[in-house]
């Protein structure tokens, strides 16, 4: 039996929930999940409620069989969660925090209100507001984001002020949006933060994204980030301040831009374990998933120290097909020391779908990078 006899309910049964359950099985923790029938958690959760993450009744059913609720995705029914929280159900992180994060406009305003450094922004909706806003920026190159329902770069676009001035049909979005200054980045970095009910707080070492310059996609995530110590401390301080200002309880990713002048700007927060923390499973004493479980069942926070440098790469579905697949090169890659393959139990591959990830550990980051490049060149998705 679970020593603390707490049943955890997760809204969403995707790979993040799956990795959380994998890490918690050794503590005898029971999980309940709410998601579609064939979700990655289907064989791991003790109770699986089949339903939509937006369905208030399904969320209530999950709440009824769980002592504490969490979510592994932002796109859930926040009103239902607010109601449940008011009725006394424990939800971590609080839906009040989720409400701010779900809306990129409220999130930016929260940064501004709390003196958290972020790029200049203006909230817009009508074409008149778009045009008026573009006059407020010095730069011509701006970024537009829909306030709600964006993910993995969907609902984000770069545009030029002149384009829409000359032709308002070129306004990227008709729904409420945020316009931001385009930040010319030296690096994109991320800091994972954990905070418990008592306000104990800690960060993991800073992670750096490596981009493919042609596809503009993240290829590798490196930990520790190759930034100087002062910048690293600054990034961690800003991340801590952000989560404290939110009064957030749980595990959070704070995504940051390091600009060419050495300034750190907060891009956005994720109120859950995050892709930029997957390496913590093998590379740190306590992973992001175990840390969230510890918070949920009221165990003390574990050490977030790095055991070894790590490089993480996502296994994304091939762009040229959808359907059943074989992962070629798995044997060869698995034979390399320090290579940890994670597969998410998704039966069908789709272009760019997150099918799994691989973490590579080594004594030095350079060695891990070399090995990761080799692994990337070996592994391919092939249609069955
Ligand atoms: P999502 O929530 O879909 O991940 P983000 O806000 O993280 O959207 O934006 C996706 C990517 O777009 C970022 O990782 C970054 O590469 C780029 N981006 C977003 N905002 C800006 C900005 N203000 N300046 C420069 N690049 C940006």
């Amino acid at each position: 039996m679970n020593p603390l006899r707490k049943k955890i309910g997760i809204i969403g049964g995707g790979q993040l929930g799956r990795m959380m359950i994998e890490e918690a099985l050794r503590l005898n923790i029971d999980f309940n999940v709410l998601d579609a029938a064939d979700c990655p958690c289907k064989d791991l959760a003790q109770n699986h409620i089949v339903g939509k993450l937006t369905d208030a009744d399904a969320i209530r059913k999950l709440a009824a069989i769980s002592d504490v609720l969490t979510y592994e995705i932002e796109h859930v029914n926040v009103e239902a969660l607010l109601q449940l929280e008011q009725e006394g159900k424990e939800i971590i992180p609080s839906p009040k925090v989720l409400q701010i994060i779900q809306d990129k406009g409220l999130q930016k305003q929260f940064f501004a209100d709390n003196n958290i450094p972020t790029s200049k922004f203006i909230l817009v909706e009508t074409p008149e507001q778009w045009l008026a806003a573009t006059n407020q920026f010095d730069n011509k190159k701006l970024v537009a984001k829909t306030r709600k329902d964006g993910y993995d770069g969907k609902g984000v676009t770069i545009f030029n002020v002149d384009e829409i001035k000359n032709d308002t049909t070129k306004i990227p979005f008709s729904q409420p949006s945020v316009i931001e200054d385009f930040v010319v980045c030296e690096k994109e970095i991320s800091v994972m933060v954990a905070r418990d009910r008592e306000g104990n707080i800690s960060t993991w070492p800073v992670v750096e994204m490596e981009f493919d310059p042609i596809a503009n996609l993240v290829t590798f995530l490196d930990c520790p980030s190759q930034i100087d110590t002062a910048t690293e401390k600054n990034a961690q301080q800003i991340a801590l301040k952000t989560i404290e200002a939110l009064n957030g309880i749980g595990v959070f990713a704070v995504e940051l831009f390091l600009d060419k002048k050495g300034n750190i700007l907060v891009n956005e927060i994720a109120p859950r374990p995050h892709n930029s923390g997957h390496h913590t499973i093998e590379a740190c004493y306590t992973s992001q998933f175990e840390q969230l479980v510890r918070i949920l069942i009221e165990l003390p926070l574990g050490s977030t120290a790095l055991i070894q440098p790590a490089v993480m790469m996502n296994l994304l579905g091939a762009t040229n097909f959808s359907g059943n697949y074989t992962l070629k090169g798995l044997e060869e890659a698995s034979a390399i020391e320090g290579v940890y393959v994670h597969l998410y139990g998704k039966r069908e591959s789709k272009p760019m779908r997150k099918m799994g990830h691989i973490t590579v550990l080594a004594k030095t980051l350079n060695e891990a990078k070399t090995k990761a490049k080799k692994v990337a060149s070996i592994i391919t998705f092939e249609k069955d």
Side-chain angles (χ1 to χ4, degrees):
M1 196 56 196
N2 159 4
L4 300 154
R5 294 177 185 261
K6 275 209 168 185
K7 279 205 167 76
I8 300 175
I10 318 178
I11 303 165
Q15 61 263 22
L16 299 175
R18 180 173 163 112
M19 287 186 268
M20 199 170 145
I21 299 176
E22 283 173 7
E23 287 268 279
L25 283 175
R26 59 190 153 82
L27 285 172
N28 286 358
I29 311 279
D30 291 336
F31 278 86
N32 306 313
V33 301
L34 162 65
D35 208 336
D38 65 346
C39 70
C41 287
K42 67 179 189 310
D43 300 324
L44 288 172
Q46 193 170 57
N47 295 293
H48 177 184
I49 295 170
V50 176
K52 289 210 159 68
L53 314 184
T54 47
D55 178 347
D57 290 338
I59 292 176
R60 276 198 172 269
K61 277 190 201 144
L62 182 76
I65 56 169
S66 310
D67 297 306
V68 56
L69 288 185
T70 190
Y71 40 89
E72 51 125 58
I73 183 164
E74 289 86 326
H75 305 294
V76 302
N77 186 331
V78 74
E79 286 76 23
L81 291 182
L82 285 165
Q83 182 65 36
L84 277 166
E85 189 179 59
Q86 210 166 28
E87 291 167 19
K89 193 87 213 168
E90 191 172 37
I91 304 167
I92 288 177
S94 164
K96 293 192 193 87
V97 167
L98 178 61
Q99 215 175 13
I100 296 171
I101 292 175
Q102 264 189 351
D103 180 335
K104 288 185 176 176
L106 291 181
Q107 201 183 144
K108 280 293 234 184
Q109 197 55 52
F110 162 79
F111 297 149
D113 293 345
N114 289 280
N115 290 322
I116 291 162
T118 194
S119 59
K120 178 175 172 172
F121 70 98
I122 296 181
L123 306 183
V124 292
E125 189 167 352
T126 63
E128 293 73 29
Q129 288 170 342
W130 276 83
L131 291 178
T134 53
N135 290 326
Q136 307 291 312
F137 291 90
D138 297 331
N139 294 328
K140 296 248 180 229
K141 190 174 176 180
L142 301 176
V143 179
K145 299 180 182 179
T146 57
R147 288 180 61 166
K148 290 202 167 170
D149 302 327
Y151 67 97
D152 284 348
K154 292 183 185 71
V156 176
T157 189
I158 297 167
F159 71 101
N160 189 295
V161 169
D162 294 331
E163 258 170 34
I164 71 164
K165 275 201 177 145
N166 299 334
D167 180 357
T168 52
T169 64
K170 296 250 167 72
I171 289 176
F173 303 118
S174 54
Q175 64 263 57
S177 299
V178 187
I179 302 180
E180 302 177 9
D181 246 336
F182 179 87
V183 181
V184 183
C185 288
E186 179 64 29
K187 287 175 192 286
E188 287 196 31
I189 56 179
S190 166
V191 179
M192 297 295 309
V193 178
R195 186 167 177 272
D196 70 14
R197 291 172 186 75
E198 283 79 48
N200 298 307
I201 190 163
S202 67
T203 67
W204 280 265
V206 180
V207 170
E208 171 175 344
M209 283 59 158
E210 280 192 62
F211 282 84
D212 174 331
I214 298 160
N216 195 29
L217 279 173
V218 177
T219 48
F220 299 110
L221 286 94
D222 304 339
C223 187
S225 166
Q226 298 301 284
I227 52 179
D228 61 67
T229 315
T231 308
E232 183 185 0
K233 290 271 165 300
N234 190 17
Q236 288 176 316
Q237 283 310 319
I238 289 172
L240 289 170
K241 180 180 167 183
T242 304
I243 301 311
E244 276 174 344
L246 257 187
N247 199 16
I249 300 170
V251 166
F252 299 84
V254 183
E255 295 179 42
L256 304 161
F257 298 135
L258 173 62
D259 76 9
K260 299 277 183 198
K261 293 179 201 138
N263 299 311
I264 288 172
L265 303 168
V266 179
N267 175 32
E268 61 172 2
I269 311 166
R272 53 170 171 78
H274 188 257
N275 204 223
S276 62
H278 287 356
H279 66 287
T280 60
I281 297 174
E282 291 91 6
C284 295
Y285 284 105
T286 311
S287 76
Q288 58 171 349
F289 301 105
E290 180 181 336
Q291 199 78 302
L292 180 55
V293 172
R294 283 171 173 251
I295 293 169
L296 294 170
I297 66 170
E298 297 178 75
L299 283 178
L301 294 181
S303 161
T304 51
L306 195 67
I307 301 169
Q308 271 207 328
V311 174
M312 195 284 299
M313 54 183 270
N314 286 318
L315 293 174
L316 301 175
T319 48
N320 60 343
F321 76 92
S322 292
N324 293 341
Y325 67 97
T326 327
L327 207 51
K328 285 271 159 68
L330 193 56
E331 280 112 352
E332 198 186 333
S334 303
I336 303 171
E337 183 183 272
V339 170
Y340 297 88
V341 180
H342 294 252
L343 297 174
Y344 302 153
K346 298 180 184 178
R347 252 178 306 121
E348 298 212 330
S349 175
K350 291 179 195 157
M352 304 308 281
R353 187 178 193 196
K354 285 181 179 144
M355 304 300 292
H357 75 262
I358 297 181
T359 298
V360 180
L361 299 190
K363 291 200 179 63
T364 65
L365 185 63
N366 273 342
E367 204 186 311
K369 280 188 183 194
T370 309
K371 278 201 257 183
K373 281 202 185 103
K374 175 151 198 267
V375 171
S377 71
I378 296 172
I379 298 252
T380 51
F381 281 87
E382 288 189 14
K383 197 168 166 53
D384 243 1

